[in-house]
Amino acid sequence: MLFLGISNAEYLQKLKTKVATFGMIDRFIFLDPVINVVDYYSASDLFVFASDYEGSPNVVVEAMLSGLPVVASRVGDVAFYLEKTSNQMFEPKNCEQLSQKI
């Protein structure tokens, strides 16, 4: 699994600690923000957008335009983008729904 664009060091450490508690740290790659994210979209099989709050997340639209299936939390304008597609939504902070949608 690839995490792109995590620039907050405190959040990144919390995320790594959580992943490590599940014994899965070796399955994850954490990268700083990148300039050409399209290269990563084209190398991916699925785009997951897990956010507690958001306005109008451009990354969801970018992923869809790149042809990726999207699983995203129902925040901000996500429902507007995904409601008439085969992409999946889940409620924020609901890990059970997220895992089911994946």
Side-chain angles (χ1 to χ4, degrees), residues 6 19 25 27 34 37 39-40 52 56 61-62 69 72 76 78 84 93:
I6 302 173
V19 170
I25 196 71
R27 295 183 186 182
V34 297
V37 73
D39 294 338
Y40 292 93
D52 293 342
S56 185
V61 176
E62 291 170 354
V78 169
K84 294 182 181 177
K93 299 182 181 180

Side-chain angles (χ1 to χ4, degrees), residues 3-15:
F3 280 89
L4 291 176
I6 302 173
S7 58
N8 180 311
E10 183 180 336
Y11 177 74
L12 177 59
Q13 187 54 50
K14 286 180 181 180
L15 188 58

Side-chain angles (χ1 to χ4, degrees), residues 29-81:
I29 299 170
F30 300 90
L31 297 177
D32 291 334
V34 297
I35 292 175
N36 192 5
V37 73
V38 174
D39 294 338
Y40 292 93
Y41 290 144
S42 63
S44 300
D45 297 316
L46 174 70
F47 181 80
V48 178
F49 180 76
S51 181
D52 293 342
Y53 53 88
E54 196 68 43
S56 185
N58 292 336
V59 294
V60 171
V61 176
E62 291 170 354
M64 290 171 59
L65 289 172
S66 295
L68 285 173
V70 173
V71 176
S73 50
R74 186 184 298 273
V75 293
D77 290 337
V78 169
F80 174 76
Y81 299 143

